[in-house]
Amino acid sequence: MPQSKILVDTNSYLRLAQTVRPLLFVPFGNDEYCLYILSELNDELANRRLNSKFPWVDDDEYADNRKHFPTIGRRQKKAIEINFEFIWDHVQTELPGPSQVDALYIAYAIELDIPVVTDDQDMTELASVFDVQVMPTLEILKIMHDNDHADLKKVKSIVEYWRAIGDCPANLRSDLKRFFPDL
């Protein structure tokens, strides 16, 4: 069975990578779900502000795990470039807020017909404009839980950690009710 690829945006990566290890490039479940990032996420993580807030991202374990990206052919690469230009033009004229990396994630998702995990509300709005499936971080945790890749204790500890460090997804309360009503 082919993998069910899912892209993970920076904010979701940072919320999960320390607790679901390794997070990326590890198929799980009957549908062979497999999480990927784009190489541009590594560029974002090189940012001094992010690097000082999340110093663990430079540890070998995490850096090595971030070396796997979705495989694309030349035609797909060209289509992604065209999608990106169109999406970025929309951002600049209609929806300021998403970054170029956000637009690139949407461009990849369109071409590869795969969902994106993000809690970024601007990116979610942009994805909606282009009919790209977006799932919040708690939804991917629900998929992991349903496929025996993360137990309820782990999910609960992740949510408690987010609360402790003050880095909760915008829709945490409603997403918890929707995906984990017993937490």
Side-chain angles (χ1 to χ4, degrees), residues 49-61:
R49 185 181 60 80
L50 278 179
N51 204 294
S52 64
K53 188 173 179 184
F54 304 99
W56 54 266
V57 300
D58 287 332
D59 292 354
D60 289 344
E61 172 187 358

Side-chain angles (χ1 to χ4, degrees), residues 84-104:
F84 171 78
E85 293 300 326
F86 188 73
I87 293 165
W88 187 240
D89 183 57
H90 179 80
V91 168
Q92 293 180 308
T93 59
E94 303 290 328
L95 185 66
S99 70
Q100 287 186 328
V101 175
D102 295 341
L104 189 59

Side-chain angles (χ1 to χ4, degrees), residues 6-13 36-38 41 44 87-88 90-91 95-110 114-136 170:
I6 300 172
L7 289 174
V8 179
D9 184 33
T10 307
N11 57 30
S12 295
Y13 172 81
Y36 288 88
I37 61 163
L38 299 182
L41 181 137
E44 282 190 327
I87 293 165
W88 187 240
H90 179 80
V91 168
L95 185 66
S99 70
Q100 287 186 328
V101 175
D102 295 341
L104 189 59
Y105 266 87
I106 301 301
Y108 267 81
I110 290 169
I114 59 177
V116 177
V117 178
T118 187
D119 296 313
D120 180 324
Q121 298 304 292
D122 289 334
M123 186 175 178
T124 299
E125 186 177 344
L126 180 63
S128 175
V129 169
F130 292 96
D131 294 323
V132 169
Q133 180 189 352
V134 170
M135 61 178 74

Side-chain angles (χ1 to χ4, degrees), residues 4-107:
S4 298
K5 291 181 175 80
I6 300 172
L7 289 174
V8 179
D9 184 33
T10 307
N11 57 30
S12 295
Y13 172 81
L14 292 170
R15 287 186 176 127
L16 294 175
Q18 280 193 291
T19 50
V20 180
R21 295 160 61 180
L23 177 64
L24 307 170
F25 202 62
V26 177
F28 62 92
N30 292 335
D31 290 332
E32 293 286 312
Y33 295 105
C34 195
L35 306 180
Y36 288 88
I37 61 163
L38 299 182
S39 62
E40 288 76 9
L41 181 137
N42 287 322
D43 298 336
E44 282 190 327
L45 294 179
N47 173 306
R48 281 204 191 287
R49 185 181 60 80
L50 278 179
N51 204 294
S52 64
K53 188 173 179 184
F54 304 99
W56 54 266
V57 300
D58 287 332
D59 292 354
D60 289 344
E61 172 187 358
Y62 303 105
D64 289 345
N65 191 230
R66 291 193 314 271
K67 290 181 179 177
H68 304 283
F69 312 109
T71 305
I72 57 168
R74 276 186 277 178
R75 284 187 187 162
Q76 288 176 311
K77 182 176 169 106
K78 185 67 177 164
I80 290 166
E81 289 170 0
I82 292 167
N83 289 345
F84 171 78
E85 293 300 326
F86 188 73
I87 293 165
W88 187 240
D89 183 57
H90 179 80
V91 168
Q92 293 180 308
T93 59
E94 303 290 328
L95 185 66
S99 70
Q100 287 186 328
V101 175
D102 295 341
L104 189 59
Y105 266 87
I106 301 301

Side-chain angles (χ1 to χ4, degrees), residues 15 118-121 124 134-139 162-163 168-179:
R15 287 186 176 127
T118 187
D119 296 313
D120 180 324
Q121 298 304 292
T124 299
V134 170
M135 61 178 74
T137 305
L138 276 170
E139 186 172 351
W162 294 343
R163 287 179 172 145
C168 296
N171 299 321
L172 178 63
R173 180 173 280 147
S174 61
D175 286 347
L176 274 172
K177 285 180 184 174
R178 187 164 48 137
F179 300 115

